[in-house]
Amino acid sequence: MKIRQVLVALEEFAPLPLQESWDNAGLQVGLTEAEVSGALLCLDVTEDIVDEAIRKGCNLIVSHHPLLFRGLKQISGGSEVQRCVIKAIKNDIVVVSMHTNMDNAKNGVNWKIAEKLCLQDTRFFAPKQVDGIEAGSGIVGMLSQPMDAQSFILLLKQHFHVQCVQSNALLNRPIRSVAVCGGAGDFLLDDAVAQGADAFITGEMHYHVFFDHEQQIQICVIGHYQSEQYTAEIFRDIIKEACPDVRTEIAETNTNPIVYW
């Protein structure tokens, strides 16, 4: 099985035209005609991730966040990105990233978050058509049973292994309808309100956006890394279905750059 075939499977699930204009999803480093020895699946590409791929005999890294966001004017080892590129090339490792195309794809990142919360009747709440494909940056679904706000926040802490949740004042009505946008999703808050969602889950949000929503919607910010931590499971399932002979490894390295004390 060639690496190219794995890349085709990933891009069939989340076509590159679904990515935002500022993004750089797709092939990052390497030659895709090599046979795949194993795929390491992760959120971010760091030197530790490349080392883990080497250690586990994986010549393919599939990440959510692109290694190359901006053009490199030199590759001399002066930054971690440069060192990752050098180490990947030296060890014949291909790096592929599925970012906002996977955010916007049906059954992508936000659907995985919803799955962890057992949300039902999920759908895009700000849908768009891209090359005839239905896509969207956020989804909304229903809890199987209404919950009070404090119990809902405790549920988030349990399922996403977070030490704290940033929120506005606790909602004084039951939560049933939940809007979701992994990563940095505050641009969708007004859409979530317009949909009548009782709660909005995202990874990070600007300070001023919290204002003026008291008793309108329960804002729950769980951390960028935490909100997208299960994305590797999507990669695993895509590859297992399309390329069942390819060995997949979900990365053990925690790449969250934020430390909680």
Side-chain angles (χ1 to χ4, degrees):
M1 181 71 66
K2 294 185 182 297
I3 291 173
R4 171 178 49 80
Q5 294 170 273
V6 178
L7 181 55
V8 167
L10 291 166
E11 292 184 3
E12 283 182 351
F13 184 95
L16 291 181
L18 298 186
Q19 70 179 309
E20 302 296 335
S21 60
W22 46 264
D23 200 8
N24 186 41
L27 179 63
Q28 307 283 296
V29 176
L31 303 175
T32 62
E33 287 301 314
E35 290 189 9
V36 59
S37 62
L40 184 69
L41 316 175
C42 60
L43 193 65
D44 310 284
V45 182
T46 64
E47 289 183 87
D48 287 340
I49 285 289
V50 181
D51 287 337
E52 183 175 344
I54 296 168
R55 189 168 65 250
K56 293 181 174 179
C58 296
N59 65 348
L60 172 62
I61 294 172
V62 181
S63 72
H64 182 46
H65 296 139
L67 173 63
L68 303 175
F69 258 124
R70 302 169 185 85
L72 295 177
K73 294 188 176 181
Q74 61 178 14
I75 303 177
S76 61
S79 69
E80 182 165 42
V81 170
Q82 293 178 34
R83 291 190 293 274
C84 286
V85 171
I86 293 169
K87 186 173 287 189
I89 291 173
K90 278 186 173 181
N91 290 277
D92 296 319
I93 293 173
V94 173
V95 179
V96 170
S97 302
M98 299 282 112
H99 191 211
T100 53
N101 54 323
M102 190 61 72
D103 290 330
N104 290 330
K106 188 172 184 180
N107 297 318
V109 174
N110 296 315
W111 304 78
K112 177 59 70 171
I113 296 171
E115 176 191 310
K116 296 297 180 180
L117 295 172
C118 299
L119 297 185
Q120 304 171 353
D121 303 321
T122 49
R123 59 180 173 81
F124 292 117
F125 67 81
K128 55 189 176 183
Q129 289 283 329
V130 180
D131 292 348
I133 303 170
E134 185 184 19
S137 300
I139 67 171
V140 63
M142 305 293 288
L143 291 168
S144 58
Q145 296 291 333
M147 302 181 70
D148 64 85
Q150 188 169 21
S151 297
F152 180 71
I153 289 174
L154 290 174
L155 181 72
L156 291 178
K157 293 178 71 172
Q158 175 186 351
H159 285 289
F160 294 90
H161 311 291
V162 296
Q163 294 151 298
C164 63
V165 174
Q166 292 182 322
S167 76
N168 54 349
L170 292 179
L171 206 62
N172 57 19
R173 68 173 189 271
I175 292 173
R176 180 74 189 276
S177 175
V178 180
V180 175
C181 181
D186 57 11
F187 68 99
L188 281 176
L189 179 60
D190 289 340
D191 292 292
V193 171
Q195 287 290 321
D198 300 310
F200 178 63
I201 303 168
T202 191
E204 60 179 278
M205 182 174 287
H206 289 88
Y207 172 82
H208 294 285
V209 182
F210 280 89
F211 286 99
D212 296 329
H213 295 291
E214 289 77 11
Q215 300 310 316
Q216 184 182 56
I217 191 169
Q218 187 69 65
I219 298 170
C220 301
V221 180
I222 63 175
H224 196 123
Y225 179 93
Q226 290 86 345
S227 71
E228 297 178 334
Q229 64 186 290
Y230 298 116
T231 303
E233 294 181 7
I234 306 173
F235 301 151
R236 178 197 61 198
D237 294 344
I238 294 169
I239 296 170
K240 280 192 172 182
E241 181 171 341
C243 311
D245 294 332
V246 172
R247 176 173 60 92
T248 57
E249 300 273 358
I250 291 180
E252 299 174 85
T253 303
N254 184 327
T255 60
N256 190 357
I258 299 172
V259 179
Y260 298 86
W261 296 96

